[in-house]
Amino acid sequence: MDRINVITVDGPSASGKGSLARKIAQIFDLAILDSGSLYRLYAFFLEKDIDLRSIPKIIKTNIEFKITQNDLRITYLKDDITDKLRSEKIAVKASELSSLAEVRDALFDIQRAFYTHKGLVADGRDMGTVVFKDAKLKIYLTATVEVRARRRYLELQKRGQEVNMPALIADIEQRDLKDSSRELSPLLPADDAHVIDSSDMSLEDVIKITKNLIKEEYI
Ligand code: DC
């Protein structure tokens, strides 16, 4: 198999995939794909009563991804909808929608189109197993449910959203179960993925390990 210049970062909710992907993209000047946000966009547009079949076209024509210093912002017709997309309500709906073949099939090509010769960091659940099977480097980032819930708690609190720790743990556990037990593209490390358990690590530790892997296998 010819390997393409893609680094995949898969793993469960709140494992720190997004932060790692953004940092690596910044350091190595790579394009970035936050595939979870595409599933969240489906949830967002369905809430607006937009027909499921019209959503791929809207994503292709009216959605823009903008990399800022520390974030990846998403605009819909110039309106910044990033915070709306990151709510727990949208996350739960996105997880439900992600088990539909129609949604996964439509998003496959949209996701592949993020690849350019500049190279790409793609984070999600099935980047290394399905969408970019031919990626040069695959990472599977995980952590215990308690550690992930704590990180999500602090993140939501910082954004001024109301949070409740037991509810957050229950939500994450339920989503883990759904994401890993669904029939289509279940959450699993690819056979050739490097598994990193970040339960006792800082983001800086994870970045350091990833930079070493990039030097060994990507560059
Ligand atoms: O990474 P996230 O929390 O933004 O993802 C939201 C939901 O989308 C997640 O619960 C499962 C789904 N998802 C998926 O099925 N496949 C991906 N590659 C990315 C996300």
Side-chain angles (χ1 to χ4, degrees):
M1 176 169 54
D2 283 341
R3 298 276 179 171
I4 59 171
N5 287 340
V6 176
I7 299 169
T8 59
V9 185
D10 288 307
S13 305
S15 57
K17 305 178 300 275
S19 306
L20 176 65
R22 285 195 294 275
K23 203 70 201 169
I24 292 301
Q26 202 178 40
I27 298 171
F28 293 93
D29 190 27
L30 304 169
I32 189 162
L33 163 62
D34 164 13
S35 63
S37 68
L38 299 172
Y39 291 89
R40 287 169 186 261
L41 281 167
Y42 260 87
F44 175 80
F45 287 123
L46 274 184
E47 255 195 358
K48 292 191 172 304
D49 283 336
I50 292 175
D51 178 71
L52 203 69
R53 273 162 300 167
S54 316
I55 297 176
K57 190 160 175 226
I58 299 178
I59 293 179
K60 282 184 212 157
T61 51
N62 296 329
I63 294 290
E64 269 185 86
F65 293 84
K66 290 185 183 151
I67 302 175
T68 64
Q69 188 59 24
N70 291 309
D71 210 352
L72 180 66
R73 307 297 298 180
I74 300 170
T75 58
Y76 168 49
L77 297 174
K78 310 283 176 213
D79 194 12
D80 189 319
I81 57 167
T82 320
D83 294 340
K84 285 182 193 149
L85 291 176
R86 287 181 186 158
S87 75
E88 282 303 292
K89 190 171 158 222
I90 289 281
V92 170
K93 185 80 190 154
S95 178
E96 275 169 35
L97 287 164
S98 68
S99 62
L100 301 180
E102 182 180 348
V103 174
R104 302 207 77 87
D105 289 351
L107 285 181
F108 184 86
D109 291 342
I110 293 179
Q111 292 172 110
R112 285 294 296 192
F114 275 77
Y115 171 68
T116 68
H117 290 289
K118 179 182 176 187
L120 175 73
V121 187
D123 88 73
R125 304 290 188 291
D126 62 342
M127 298 294 97
T129 49
V130 177
V131 181
F132 295 107
K133 259 191 197 160
D134 49 353
K136 254 193 202 168
L137 176 64
K138 300 179 184 179
I139 290 165
Y140 186 87
L141 187 60
T142 185
T144 62
V145 171
E146 290 74 21
V147 168
R148 288 184 284 130
R150 178 95 205 129
R151 289 179 190 158
R152 178 60 56 89
Y153 179 88
L154 295 174
E155 189 191 314
L156 292 172
Q157 208 180 37
K158 210 164 73 189
R159 274 197 249 124
Q161 290 185 22
E162 248 182 64
V163 272
N164 160 332
M165 195 62 179
L168 210 51
I169 292 184
D171 245 26
I172 290 184
E173 276 177 336
Q174 203 186 10
R175 212 154 351 125
D176 279 359
L177 183 70
K178 239 190 241 160
D179 290 347
S180 48
S181 61
R182 68 170 176 241
E183 208 174 310
L184 296 170
S185 312
L187 171 65
L188 272 177
D191 292 340
D192 48 353
H194 298 271
V195 178
I196 304 176
D197 184 337
S198 73
S199 303
D200 298 315
M201 291 183 197
S202 64
L203 175 62
E204 284 64 39
D205 295 331
V206 180
I207 291 169
K208 208 162 140 191
I209 294 173
T210 308
K211 275 165 98 175
N212 286 334
L213 288 171
I214 290 174
K215 281 177 200 144
E216 284 163 21
E217 295 190 17
Y218 184 82
I219 297 177

